[in-house]
Amino acid sequence: MNARYQRRKLPARYAAVLSPLVLSLLMTFIVSLISTLKSLGFHPELPSIWLTAWGLSWLVAFPTLLLVLPIVRRIVGALCEPASR
């Protein structure tokens, strides 16, 4: 790809917020669709109801991930050997 058209990247310091952001968006997208389909089936209002459920679940999931991810990293670090270099 031509250097003129390369996309700029965010600085590494944003990874601690960007990772839970992307994870929470994708996870709540899929889980809210499955739970909405399970409770309503294929309903004419499914897209509207699902997107409302997705938005609400994301509003809870993102701050939750920001709070618990450091704890999860410590637990995983206690359970796993460090990566070899």
Side-chain angles (χ1 to χ4, degrees):
M1 184 178 246
N2 191 340
R4 237 172 71 186
Y5 297 109
Q6 283 185 337
R7 188 174 294 195
R8 291 182 55 182
K9 292 184 178 184
L10 293 171
R13 68 179 179 265
Y14 292 108
V17 173
L18 194 57
S19 182
L21 174 69
V22 172
L23 178 63
S24 65
L25 283 169
L26 293 174
M27 188 174 62
T28 56
F29 182 87
I30 294 166
V31 171
S32 64
L33 175 62
I34 292 168
S35 64
T36 305
L37 271 172
K38 185 168 178 358
S39 52
L40 294 180
F42 287 100
H43 188 275
E45 299 291 319
L46 179 69
S48 172
I49 295 168
W50 166 49
L51 289 175
T52 301
W54 179 34
L56 182 60
S57 62
W58 181 79
L59 284 174
V60 172
F62 180 56
T64 301
L65 274 173
L66 288 175
L67 292 172
V68 301
L69 205 50
I71 298 165
V72 170
R73 286 185 180 132
R74 275 186 247 136
I75 292 169
V76 170
L79 295 173
C80 296
E81 291 286 335
S84 59
R85 294 179 186 199

